Amino acid sequence: MGPVTSEFLKLKRSTSWAVVVLLPVIMVIAGSVSTLAGDGGFADGWHTLWIRSIGFYGMVILSVGIAILASLVWRVEHRNSNWNALMSGPVPTAHVVLGKLAAIAVLAAAMQLVFVATVIVLGRVAFGLPGMLPAEYYVSSVLVIVACVPVAALQSALSTFFRSFAAPVAIALVCTGACTMALLLGVDVVAVLPYALLTQATQIGTALVSGEATSFEASALTLQSAAFVVLVAVVLTAVIVAVTSMLLDRSDTRV
């Protein structure tokens, strides 16, 4: 059985699915409630609902959610003698790393899909918004899923070497906060870092018809902005996987 197939089998009864469903649902509801409490309605319809929902979720919660998922996926390997069994198998280290990454990335993608579905259901059923969620937000969601991969790779690496469940999550919270602050201050160069790239991807195309500003200057949804996210995500993921595999091989050899 390959490492990817093995990881997906482990996900069948994993508590990770509770995070995948509850986290985005709670954040969309919170964004909707705060909007209704603040100005009493959705002046720009779907645009208002999306931006109020994706704001704090994209700038902090999504990365932390991925960190929690990574810790959950790796938790079983740090119990009893599972680590020795994992590392003593005939499967190359890189394949183990990629298997874990695939599982975490799929969970992160599912979380974004739940987010989109929740926005649509609330918009249509609870708030009676006309029409449907604009197409650009489906496209930006694909970019968000792509940008989740390097964060998943980095959090998987941290959860590989930290037996603690909370430590990688705390690191994600601190790093995400620092990257978001840098973006708010206009330090755009941090977008080449995994957490900042994901934050920036969640805000792509978020512009209210009324011209109201978002938390920081978001990029328009263009071919260039999409290509940037994809290219940086691919490079970051490749580098993180390679470094993680190398370090894991060295640590395993010393043991």
Side-chain angles (χ1 to χ4, degrees), residues 234-247:
V234 169
V235 173
L236 285 174
T237 302
V239 171
I240 294 169
V241 168
V243 172
T244 304
S245 301
M246 179 185 67
L247 293 177

Side-chain angles (χ1 to χ4, degrees), residues 106-171:
V106 165
L107 290 170
M111 194 157 57
Q112 182 62 22
L113 294 177
V114 171
F115 179 89
V116 174
T118 305
V119 169
I120 293 173
V121 170
L122 282 181
R124 293 288 294 176
V125 178
F127 306 124
L129 297 180
M132 185 54 71
L133 184 69
E136 58 261 34
Y137 295 132
Y138 295 107
V139 177
S140 66
S141 289
V142 173
L143 294 177
V144 170
I145 291 172
V146 172
C148 282
V149 179
V151 176
L154 182 52
Q155 287 302 141
S156 180
L158 292 173
S159 294
T160 302
F161 299 106
F162 284 93
R163 295 180 64 89
S164 166
F165 179 94
V169 178
I171 292 172

Side-chain angles (χ1 to χ4, degrees), residues 25-162:
V25 169
I26 290 172
M27 293 309 301
V28 175
I29 292 175
S32 303
V33 171
S34 66
T35 299
L36 291 173
D39 52 32
F42 299 94
D44 286 315
W46 289 103
H47 297 287
T48 302
L49 177 58
W50 180 268
I51 291 172
R52 295 294 182 264
S53 300
I54 200 72
F56 186 67
Y57 176 73
M59 288 189 281
V60 179
I61 301 301
L62 180 54
S63 291
V64 173
I66 294 173
I68 294 172
L69 293 174
S71 289
L72 287 171
V73 168
W74 273 101
R75 183 173 59 174
V76 65
E77 310 302 349
H78 293 302
R79 289 179 172 176
N80 303 320
S81 59
N82 290 345
W83 179 264
N84 292 333
L86 177 69
M87 298 311 299
S88 62
V91 179
T93 302
H95 291 188
V96 174
V97 173
L98 286 172
K100 292 292 186 182
L101 171 57
I104 300 166
V106 165
L107 290 170
M111 194 157 57
Q112 182 62 22
L113 294 177
V114 171
F115 179 89
V116 174
T118 305
V119 169
I120 293 173
V121 170
L122 282 181
R124 293 288 294 176
V125 178
F127 306 124
L129 297 180
M132 185 54 71
L133 184 69
E136 58 261 34
Y137 295 132
Y138 295 107
V139 177
S140 66
S141 289
V142 173
L143 294 177
V144 170
I145 291 172
V146 172
C148 282
V149 179
V151 176
L154 182 52
Q155 287 302 141
S156 180
L158 292 173
S159 294
T160 302
F161 299 106
F162 284 93

